[in-house]
Amino acid sequence: MHKAVLLQETIEALRVEPGHWYLDGTFGRGGHTAAILENGGRVLAFDVDSEAIAYGQEAFATHVEAGQLILVRENFDKLAMVVRQNVPDEKISGILFDFGTSSDQLKDQHRGFSFDGDAELDMRMDDRLGVKAKDLLAVLSEKQLANLFLTEGGEREGKAIAHEIVWQRQKRGIETTQQLVQIIEKAKHDRRGHLNPATKVFQALRIAVNGELESIQAVLPQAMKVLAPKGRIACISFHEGEDRVVKQVFKEWQSDGIGQVVTKEIVTAGEEELQDNKRARSAKLRVFEKNAEYV
Ligand SMILES: C[S@@+](CC[C@H](N)C(=O)[O-])C[C@H]1O[C@@H](n2cnc3c(N)ncnc32)[C@H](O)[C@@H]1O
């Protein structure tokens, strides 16, 4: 079961007030939403994954029936529209994003996110999307693949891996996670470090399949628009690409006089959480507060 990361730090940063509305852009298993509800807040939550929403409807049925929680299966890049449709007259006091995939998605053997086990190379969080990871491997050029592995995964041996992919796809096609794992193992020379050799390529493909960085770019201005004065936006990132977008946008907002970065130092997990949750190792929290006079 997914464990919410930086839970206490995020909830404290949002300064939840009873009866106020909050947005959870990435519901998952509802760890952060549950904490907002426990503090008396009301939540409009998004997830693109039908399984996450179905889980939420059941596990949080009482809150849904009481009108304290609204669950929407939608990409958070439609945030402004979903807010207009569901809580048109409400002020939004805080907004949270806990980017990426949940542990439940990663562990699901059928969805192709993980290099453990064997599955079709799918990797869609939203199964309404038309392009799976195996489709990208089939159509992108060698240069495009190498570039994707380097820019979205930080994989320095991306060129060699892309070369091997193009060779193998001509020979027999690439359909499964284990086929890709074998290709990566064959192409990579540098096996140092604690990461599985396939980690960075899998990350890069997942980010591309789900358009993750584009969604973050698209949602932040919308989030700022719907946020009430003195409201806060909290973003938890797990890799360099996500964090770079958040950091840049927060910096621009601050220099435009829209508000201040609250987290002068990035917030990371403490020893106790790290012992308990491996996923927390790479989590980084940044928080921004909108000025009282900025509407
Ligand atoms: C890291 S998990 C969130 C976990 C959650 N905070 C919790 O404590 O259970 C990220 C979730 O966000 C969803 N997600 C990722 N990108 C999304 C997007 N652009 N729009 C909506 N949901 C998204 C994923 O499907 C996943 O369920």
Side-chain angles (χ1 to χ4, degrees), residues 13-155:
L14 289 176
R15 299 181 302 193
V16 178
E17 292 206 39
H20 286 209
W21 276 96
Y22 297 84
L23 305 184
D24 180 350
T26 48
F27 178 76
R29 284 295 184 256
H32 292 95
T33 283
I36 298 173
L37 293 169
E38 274 160 27
N39 283 281
R42 307 171 82 185
V43 182
L44 169 60
F46 299 66
D47 207 297
V48 279
D49 189 337
S50 59
E51 285 178 23
I53 296 298
Y55 166 84
Q57 297 286 7
E58 209 180 310
F60 291 79
T62 325
H63 290 105
V64 172
E65 277 155 29
Q68 291 157 335
L69 170 63
I70 302 173
L71 282 162
V72 183
R73 186 190 178 196
E74 192 51 90
N75 194 304
F76 58 58
D77 65 9
K78 309 276 184 323
L79 185 136
M81 182 192 82
V82 173
V83 169
R84 249 192 335 268
Q85 286 172 348
N86 289 278
V87 283
D89 303 320
E90 305 293 345
K91 288 202 161 56
I92 307 298
S93 297
I95 304 178
L96 151 77
F97 299 100
D98 175 15
F99 298 124
T101 43
S102 67
S103 310
D104 300 80
Q105 288 168 324
L106 282 176
K107 278 187 212 140
D108 187 332
Q109 290 292 334
H110 306 292
R111 303 192 61 175
F113 287 112
S114 170
F115 36 76
D116 295 328
D118 201 9
E120 181 192 17
L121 268 167
D122 184 329
M123 297 198 191
R124 291 169 305 162
M125 293 192 243
D126 182 348
D127 63 10
R128 298 167 297 192
L129 293 177
V131 176
K132 302 178 182 180
K134 66 176 190 178
D135 302 320
L136 290 184
L137 293 184
V139 301
L140 294 184
S141 69
E142 187 173 327
K143 204 170 163 192
Q144 286 171 319
L145 286 169
N147 193 35
L148 172 67
F149 300 152
L150 179 67
T151 55
E152 314 294 29
E155 175 53 75

